[in-house]
Amino acid sequence: MTYAAVIFDLDGTLVDSEAVALESATRAAARFGLTWREEFFHSLIGTDSLTTQTRMAEEFGAEIVPALDSAWGEEFDAIRSRGMPLKPGVLDVLDAIVGLGLPRAVATSSRMRGATASLRAAGIHDRFDTVVTRDCVVLAKPHPEPYLTAAARLGIAPQHCLAFEDSATGSRSAMAAGMTVVVVPDLAPVPEEIGHHRAASLLEGAGLAGLL
């Protein structure tokens, strides 16, 4: 299949930030004598900050959320300052897409500050034509607005875009936008019925989708 643009989720798809997020969340919770359940963390993957804070309030109590969320950010920034690891195959896929002359975008539920910091820490910030974050849209994933906004910025019709995702929430967003979706699950499982292609890596997914 021929595509006119490629759009990537960020966390867990391009950068290995979900593992960093879990480690930093665990450290932050320990400051307050709390235990951050891994299953609870999995339920947050792909969600925006408001949804995350709402679920944290349900899990730990609303009164502690501001301090806990702040501590989580501090711990995450401390780890990210040492560099953000890329997911396997990212550079190979990006190089191939550049070689094909296709425009590239990021569509993420993260805020602009965090997304920019992660992309720079991973050394790939300049590899994208545009970055759409939670600050750029009214409605977050799983609504299609993030992916529709990315496609519009690239000047490409959504149905001609290939999207890479790691979460159920993000995959639903890209599918609702009308894009072909490659799911490369990270820490949390993604139901089999979500997405058009399922792969163990970005490179494998690009092959299955007919991009490479």
Side-chain angles (χ1 to χ4, degrees):
M1 182 173 180
T2 301
Y3 303 100
V6 185
I7 304 176
F8 297 85
D9 171 56
L10 175 59
D11 298 297
T13 300
L14 288 172
V15 296
D16 196 12
S17 53
E18 303 296 14
V20 173
L22 177 57
E23 180 182 352
S24 55
T26 301
R27 291 183 182 182
R31 293 192 194 182
F32 302 92
L34 300 173
T35 299
W36 198 295
R37 297 183 299 112
E38 191 166 343
E39 310 84 71
F40 170 64
F41 175 79
H42 287 169
S43 75
L44 305 178
I45 293 176
T47 62
D48 66 308
S49 58
L50 180 59
T51 301
T52 294
Q53 290 172 6
T54 298
R55 293 182 183 174
M56 287 171 63
E58 295 169 351
E59 178 79 3
F60 300 112
E63 68 283 348
I64 201 169
V65 168
L68 179 58
D69 192 45
S70 178
W72 187 8
E74 291 171 3
E75 295 287 355
F76 190 94
D77 285 345
I79 298 174
R80 179 167 54 194
S81 67
R82 300 193 292 270
M84 184 66 73
L86 292 169
K87 297 294 290 184
V90 168
L91 295 180
D92 291 332
V93 171
L94 288 177
D95 286 344
I97 295 170
V98 171
L100 292 170
L102 300 179
R104 304 158 302 286
V106 170
T108 176
S109 295
S110 295
R111 295 289 184 179
M112 183 62 77
R113 173 189 170 276
T116 299
S118 290
L119 286 167
R120 286 178 174 162
I124 57 172
H125 182 267
D126 295 335
R127 304 294 294 269
F128 299 94
D129 300 290
T130 189
V131 177
V132 175
T133 71
R134 183 65 181 90
D135 300 302
C136 305
V137 298
V138 175
L139 300 170
K141 300 175 184 181
H143 193 276
E145 186 181 358
Y147 277 98
L148 291 175
T149 300
R153 287 188 179 183
L154 295 176
I156 304 296
Q159 63 267 28
H160 298 309
C161 296
L162 178 64
F164 286 90
E165 270 284 353
D166 73 295
S167 72
T169 299
S171 298
R172 290 189 175 101
S173 173
M175 290 184 70
M179 300 180 181
T180 299
V181 182
V182 175
V183 182
V184 184
D186 189 28
L187 296 183
V190 178
E192 290 293 333
E193 66 272 14
I194 299 177
H196 300 97
H197 304 281
R198 182 69 55 104
S201 70
L202 290 179
L203 199 57
E204 179 187 348
L208 291 174
L211 176 67
L212 305 179

